[in-house]
Every structure is written in structure tokens, then in C-alpha cells.
Amino acid sequence: MGIKAQANNFSLAAGAIRLSLLSKTAISTGLLVACSTALSGELKFDVGIENTYVKQEVDATGNYADSSENIIITPYLGFTYTARDLEASLLAEHNHVRRSLDDADSTNNYTNFTYNTHYDIIRNLLYVNVRGSQQYNSLNNQTFSVDDFLLNSEDLTESNYHSGALVLNLPTGNYFGTSASLSYSSSSSKRESNNDSVTSGIFSNSDNETYGAQWSLNSGDDIRPISFYWDATAQLSKRNSLGDYKSNYISGSIGTIVYRDLSLNLLGSYETNEVEDTDLNAQGIDSKREFQSYGIGLRWQASTDRYIQVGFNKSKTTGDSLDNTSSVDEEDEYISLDTSWQFSPRTILSAAFYRRFFGDSANVMLSHNLRSWRSRVSYREDVNTNTQLSQISELGLFVCDNGAADLAECTLPDSIDLSNLDAGQIVVPFVETGFELNDNLILRKSLSIQSSITRRRTTVSIVGTHSKNENLEASRITETQSLRFSTLFDISQRSKLLFNANYTENEQTFSEQFGANIVKEASVSFTRQMTRRFYASLGLRYLNRDGDENVNIGGISGIIGPLTDRRISVSIEYKFSKE
């Protein structure tokens, strides 16, 4: 119960960060420092404009058939700034879309941007991260693989995300190592709709502010045979349309070596998850669930990067479900497993099997890296709001500049060091997530398999995913499977041919409704660099969607029934500046 007492103290400390002033000050500090040091580093610009003509034919079986000619004018601006202690990047583009349909003409405008700033207050010890984005996404995860500027654009939603974090990281030394952070983020989505049910209720747009704190502590080699580990996190999500969501999680261990590389450890964890709803609490209903666990573990530490621990634990779960439909008060015994094993410098396995407030849980990651072939298998389980989980991306295999998300603009390096990426570079997984733009609390179980290989002038990428989202505040389950195959041929130094094939299957159950659909998509594009600054490309795309009508949730149904979408596109791009 000592862990529980410390957890309550930690929860009180987390409550202090409700004041947005502290977190917003961290963001302002990062931006102010960026401005004050901007004259002492290297600044690079990437400015250009792309004009695209698209001939489109859509056949929605039993509903409508339409043919359109579309012009998309996209000016863009990107810059990266690198100084001794500061890295900053920005990529902004504006899409001016003119559509000539069979029965009417339309004009729409969409502006997307991403920015990222990293400032070392004390190098290798204390730093500030600030990042954010604006983009347009599908409001419904039943149609995320279909909706875009030219198809079902009325269901696209402008989404904004901004975050800042102050991070302290003291690497493990002779005696101990520690890390701590304070974070703030806000997200919102806005959709033009005449349906009031879309903008209110449990499936409304996203509008939240999230405050977080984290602290971890671990022992060094010089205090052996004693070893210890401590990790604590706290989060408060203030949701405009739903009750505030609070979570605290603490885990720790302390032990000693009993024989050579074998140690005996005391294990413990404590977790609370709570949804505060004024209407519910006024009736005396407490939507809070607590989970506590303690046990003893045997750990074999073969080397610094090889260990395995088996734990024998007893747990207790109490409280109500977060949607207030059931309660639980149960004790159980379980076996936990925790391992991190580096088989070779290029092959690493890390896995953890344990229990949380919702039941058995697991996190697994296996990576294998060769010079020209890289693979990764990842499985994880998370509980959070849709918008927060959407910002936890899978670790990818490709490094892309200036936020690019196209295989033709990315590279597969010999190795990836996340702490040593250049300004503007990101690691892209090319994984379809399908998160909805709302603040619902969900339990997400996701599996992803990525493999990419580069040989001479050919790059091949295969990505498979399976995810299950269980809504903890409504009787709703969504499962999505996807498979993506991409091949890039560097025909010459100036010519590239890119082929993509995607398969996505989505199943959704809400109350007594059930919907399922399958989306198959194939595209090919040829790009030629005509001069130093002038590019031209030709593309073909075919998309087929088959299945049931979508489940109507909160007035959001998306595209109804089967459809096919055929497109031919021609584009020209001119770069005014080139790195």
C-alpha cells in the first residue's frame, strides 16, 4: 500500500499542473529563444508551386455516378534552421481546388502546415520541444482510406494539434539515471455541418487540452548488488464535450543480486483511471477504476543489453467501468514477463506481458536491421483519448525531409538515430491508423509489421497492420486491417517510377448496428526532373470500395455503399529555391 500512498501524492502533484500557464510558458520560451538566436545559425528555404490536373470518374453503385475535371494549385513553403542549440522547421502548403462537376462547379481551399522546434537549454541535460500541425482528415474512421479533397470532401475536418514539453534527461551514470518532463498539448477539429449531432455529444469534434508529467529513476552499476527502478506518469485531459479524464500510473522495483547474474526483486504497480462528469457525479456515481499489483520477480541479467525477468504477482481491481455500466471488485494472481534481448548489434527484442486495470496487457517490439534491409514488428496496447493516441505514431523505417510522406521523397538509411536527425527530418512508418477526430476514451490494441529493402535503384516497402479500438465510454468496437505494398524504381538520376497498392478492411459494431467494408487501391506515377527546378509527373489511380452501408454514429455516416473512383493526373512543379 506504500505505492498507493505515493501515487496519491503524485496525483496531487499532477493536479498542480492544471494551470496552463506553466506549460504554455514552456512553449513561449522555446519560440522566444528561437527568435533571439535566429541570426547565428544556418537557414535553408524550399519554395515552390505545383499545378495538378485530375480527370476523375466516380460510380457509387445505386446512388450516383459523376465525372469531373479538377485543377489543384499548391504553393508551398518550407524552411529548416540549424544552430548550435536550436533546430526548427516549418512546412506549409495551400491547396486551391477547383472542381468542374456534371451538375455544378465548386472551389475549396485547404491549408496544411507542420512545425517543430527543439532547443537545448542545457546540452545533453535539459531541452524544450514545441511542435504542431494543421491538416484535413476524415471525421469517420470507416472512410479514412477513401476521403480526400476530391471524394467526400464535405466530411473532411480541419484538425489542429499543438504541443510543448520541457524535458530533463540525465543518462544513467555510476549511481543513478533519471528523466522528467512536463507537457501541454491542445487539439481541436472543426467541420462545417448542418447536423447538430455532429458537433455535440459523445461523438462530437475534438476539443481538448491535455497536461502531463512524467518522472523515472533507475540505479547505476556502482551501487550493485542493489538495483532499483521507478516510473511515474500523470495525465489530465480537459474535454470540452465530455467529462475530464484523469490517469495516474506508477510502477517500480527494488532488489539485490542473489547469485552471479541472478537477482531477486520486489515488484509493484498502481494505476487509476477516472472520468469526471458533473451530471454523473451529482447522482453519486463514481466512474473511477483502481488497479494495484505487487509481487516478486527473478531477473537474469546476462549483460548490459540482455535480461529477462519473470514475476509472480497478486493484483486487485476495484471501481466502476468508465461508462458507468458495470463495477468490479476482484483479486487475481498472474505471471508477468519482462525482457530486452539484443541478439546481435542489428537484432533486438523487447517484450512485456503484465496486467492492467482492463485485464491482461502486452507490448512487444522486434527489429532487425541490415545495411539495405530493415524490418520491425510491433504490438502495443494503450488507453487514452482518440486525439492523444493519434499522436503516438509507430516508429518507422524511412527518413523523410520536410515532413514528406511519399516513398519517392524518403530514404532508407543504414541506421536511424532519433537523437541525431537533421532539422526538418522525420521517421515515417507509412502505417494507416484510422483514428477518429474526437475525444472518446478508447482501449487500442495494435499490431504492425514493416519490412523494407533497397537494392541498387529499387526500393520495396511492405506494411501490414491490425488494430482493435474498444470505446470505453460507449458500446462500440472497431477493427481495421490494412496491407500496403510500395515499389520505387529510380530509372535514372532524373526519372522515378512509383507503384502503390493498398488493401484496407474495416469492421464496426455500435449497439446493435454492424458495418463492414473493404477498400482496394492501386496507383502508379512517373516523375521526371526536366531542368534543375522544373518537374513533371503523370499518375493513374484506381480505388474500389465494397461492403455494407456505414454505421451511422452521431449523425456521421460518410460515403454510403460500394463505389469506384478512377483518376488520371498530370502535374508540373517549379521549385524557386533548392537546397
Side-chain angles (χ1 to χ4, degrees), residues 455-466:
R455 291 293 177 90
R456 295 183 179 180
R457 295 182 177 180
T458 303
T459 300
V460 177
S461 172
I462 301 176
V463 179
T465 65
H466 175 87

Side-chain angles (χ1 to χ4, degrees), residues 103-396:
D103 54 355
D105 294 341
S106 66
T107 301
N108 295 294
N109 293 279
Y110 308 91
T111 300
N112 300 331
F113 64 79
T114 60
Y115 64 87
N116 199 325
T117 301
H118 175 96
Y119 177 68
D120 288 320
I121 301 174
I122 303 176
R123 181 172 290 188
N124 299 325
L125 180 63
L126 184 65
Y127 62 87
V128 173
N129 270 340
V130 180
R131 67 186 180 95
S133 65
Q134 175 179 294
Q135 54 189 341
Y136 288 82
N137 302 100
S138 174
L139 190 64
N140 193 339
N141 76 343
Q142 297 174 94
T143 58
F144 73 91
S145 59
V146 175
D147 298 347
D148 61 12
F149 297 155
L150 304 182
L151 186 62
N152 204 37
S153 60
E154 61 273 13
D155 278 352
L156 292 181
T157 301
E158 178 189 304
S159 60
N160 288 270
Y161 180 84
H162 307 281
S163 69
L166 177 66
V167 182
L168 170 70
N169 183 30
L170 182 64
T172 303
N174 294 333
Y175 300 100
F176 71 93
T178 187
S179 66
S181 66
L182 294 174
S183 62
Y184 166 82
S185 66
S186 66
S187 65
S188 62
S189 60
K190 179 178 65 176
R191 175 178 183 263
E192 298 296 333
S193 174
N194 296 322
N195 192 332
D196 293 336
S197 63
V198 174
T199 56
S200 63
I202 192 170
F203 298 115
S204 62
N205 291 331
S206 171
D207 184 6
N208 73 78
E209 292 184 328
T210 299
Y211 308 84
Q214 179 272 335
W215 176 45
S216 65
L217 179 69
N218 61 278
S219 59
D221 290 337
D222 283 5
I223 68 170
R224 298 183 71 184
I226 302 297
S227 64
F228 60 83
Y229 173 76
W230 166 274
D231 184 48
T233 61
Q235 177 182 305
L236 167 64
S237 291
K238 300 182 71 66
R239 304 182 295 176
N240 185 51
S241 300
L242 301 166
D244 295 345
Y245 169 60
K246 293 180 179 179
S247 67
N248 296 295
Y249 181 77
I250 293 176
S251 65
S253 69
I254 186 170
T256 184
I257 296 175
V258 293
Y259 180 75
R260 293 188 178 179
D261 297 328
L262 186 66
S263 62
L264 187 65
N265 298 290
L266 297 177
L267 311 175
S269 66
Y270 178 75
E271 179 178 11
T272 64
N273 289 267
E274 180 179 5
V275 173
E276 288 187 342
D277 188 297
T278 304
D279 294 334
L280 293 176
N281 289 338
Q283 303 172 32
I285 299 176
D286 182 15
S287 56
K288 179 179 180 179
R289 178 163 290 194
E290 293 184 275
F291 173 83
Q292 49 190 304
S293 171
Y294 59 90
I296 193 167
L298 290 175
R299 179 185 178 106
W300 177 44
Q301 185 89 38
S303 61
T304 304
D305 47 24
R306 295 181 181 181
Y307 77 85
I308 184 170
Q309 177 174 273
V310 178
F312 304 89
N313 308 272
K314 187 173 183 178
S315 66
K316 183 177 182 179
T317 306
T318 59
D320 296 313
S321 62
L322 299 180
D323 61 354
N324 289 284
T325 59
S326 62
S327 61
V328 64
D329 185 358
E330 62 182 20
E331 296 184 1
D332 203 353
E333 296 179 353
Y334 69 98
I335 296 177
S336 61
L337 175 65
D338 181 21
T339 183
S340 178
W341 203 270
Q342 183 169 334
F343 296 94
S344 70
R346 297 183 176 274
T347 305
I348 301 175
L349 169 67
S350 62
F353 301 90
Y354 50 101
R355 181 160 293 184
R356 293 185 61 186
F357 77 96
F358 53 81
D360 294 334
S361 182
N363 286 282
V364 180
M365 194 278 290
L366 173 64
S367 65
H368 178 67
N369 301 323
L370 298 177
R371 182 170 183 177
S372 58
W373 180 26
R374 181 171 294 114
S375 300
R376 176 174 287 109
V377 178
S378 174
Y379 176 82
R380 60 185 301 160
E381 298 180 1
D382 301 283
V383 175
N384 214 320
T385 63
N386 260 315
T387 49
Q388 289 298 313
L389 287 175
S390 67
Q391 301 301 317
I392 305 175
S393 61
E394 297 284 350
L395 185 61

